[in-house]
Amino acid sequence: MLNAETSYMDPTKVDLTDTAIQKCPWEAYRNLRDEAPVYYLAAADMYVVSRYEDICDIVRDPKRFSMAARGRGFLFKTDEAVRYYEDHGRPRYTPLSTDPPYHTEFRSHVEPFFTSGRIRTWEPALRNLIDSLADKLDTSEPIDFVQKFCFPLPMSVMTVLLGLPLEDHKLLKHWTDVWVLPFSHAMTPQQEMYVAEEGVAMQKYILAALEQKRRDPRDDLLSLLVQARREDGSELTEKEMLGFAEQAIVGANETTQNGLAMSMCAMIENPGIEERLRDEPKKIRTFIEECLRLHSPTAGMYRWTTEDVAMHGVTIPKGATVHLRFAAANRDERHFEDPDVLDLERKKAGSHVAFSHAVHHCLGAPLARLELNLAFEILLSRRTNFRFARPTDNFDYVPGLALRQLEYLWIRSDPRGAI
Amino acid sequence: MKISVDKKKCSSQQRCLHLYPSLFEEGEHGKARVRIDVKVLTEDDEIDAQAAANACPSGAIEIEY
């Protein structure tokens, strides 16, 4: 057993903000799980939790580990950016940053849209979108799978589900890419203002779209928001509708994009998997769960303590930021046997925390799962012999703490005979 | 694999039966239970069951591997 003082508190030991560690974090995660399961990361002023069971316990304990207790200043360091939102748009808000019982009530209005059965009704639309993007792979030339396929797909899907014109997906993609910049925790004041200006532009676009849905409701997510009624007959507030729409757009984007890219990477890196999936398409589901587990598109999320909490000999003080490192928990050998192996026979494959668990379990998980499964089903039916078109040690990841994102993934593939 | 719902832990939010109605149904007092007609779990069911257990706000869905 290492001395608690040095192993838990030594900020030089594992710095998750270090881009070299972000590129290949697995050894660092093992180190954290084994030696410092609650670890104070000085560079980001937060306590990192890395074991599977600990994360499961925390996400079921919203009283002590709150979403709502997040302090002002977590996203924006300057007051100017915050004030710009307030003066020109609405304060930046998402219903994700709330706790039960309010969160439970709010979520009950949008949950029916995201059940596995309801999401299945969108399957034909999703197949069309995936098929038209898969056309871009119909070449013997190397293509950047990230740019050509992973970038446009999730935002196209969400644009359709929201009931917005498909051609607007590029606009939404731009806004959501800007929206998440504060999570890098490394913005200049100028960048903060840019985020606020683009954020307000996005809000104005969504508010106009909500107004249009109010006049002409359809079977889509924005219409559901304007038509939702509370028990007393009242509508959701503008703040809630706007916040939820922003959250749905942002939540659908990079996460699914990373899931697609990392799954392609994993399929190529593991010999025999591609053939196995083509022979046994039923195994695609386990494959996707394993990719989500191994590569955790959302590497971590946050909570804020409402009281002092002692864990593994460390006292996390009241008001501290706690970082739940899903990517580390998903390779915890205390829960998953041979955790670094992509195993299509793994019984526990679906128990990963890639979508978190419990209260804030990803609302869009059934949509993300369907998108990922259909994408691989369609790609495997159209192309074969997927391979890297560049040396694999050249992979670059977008710097960031919460998301692990490939900047590009150059691949080649061959047509599948006469189909 | 076997799945069950711990009635004491179940908080009657019914996420599981909305998410995966093929596996869960409403039992007494609004609490969830595994559907009576669910006998043998297919591989798809097993992943759905784990997804439901993950989503349960109170950790009431138990899985025996």
Side-chain angles (χ1 to χ4, degrees), chain B residues 2-65:
Chain B
K2 278 187 187 163
I3 50 172
S4 58
V5 178
D6 183 332
K7 281 186 197 164
K8 283 185 195 139
K9 284 189 188 168
C10 176
S11 54
S12 308
Q13 290 187 42
Q14 304 193 340
R15 257 192 212 176
C16 58
L17 56 104
H18 290 131
L19 272 170
Y20 299 103
S22 60
L23 292 177
F24 301 93
E25 62 188 3
E26 188 174 336
E28 286 173 18
H29 310 298
K31 300 218 178 227
R33 68 180 180 209
V34 178
R35 282 174 65 123
I36 292 162
D37 57 352
V38 171
K39 302 273 191 246
V40 182
L41 297 178
T42 64
E43 218 171 307
D44 272 356
D45 290 338
E46 290 187 354
I47 293 175
D48 288 347
Q50 291 175 70
N54 297 347
C56 177
S58 50
I61 299 171
E62 289 174 355
I63 298 180
E64 258 180 74
Y65 291 95

Side-chain angles (χ1 to χ4, degrees), chain A residues 60 103-104 107 111 114-116 282-283 285-286 289 347-352 357-359 361 366 369, chain B residues 1 13 15 18-21 42-48 50-51 53-60 65:
Chain A
R60 287 184 197 133
H103 175 269
T104 311
R107 185 162 159 146
E111 238 162 13
F114 289 95
T115 66
S116 56
K282 271 190 156 307
K283 281 286 173 196
R285 277 204 76 184
T286 308
E289 297 303 318
K347 282 282 182 190
K348 287 183 174 175
S351 68
H352 59 73
H357 280 192
V359 178
H361 177 266
R369 285 188 158 110
Chain B
M1 183 185 287
Q13 290 187 42
R15 257 192 212 176
H18 290 131
L19 272 170
Y20 299 103
T42 64
E43 218 171 307
D44 272 356
D45 290 338
E46 290 187 354
I47 293 175
D48 288 347
Q50 291 175 70
N54 297 347
C56 177
S58 50
Y65 291 95

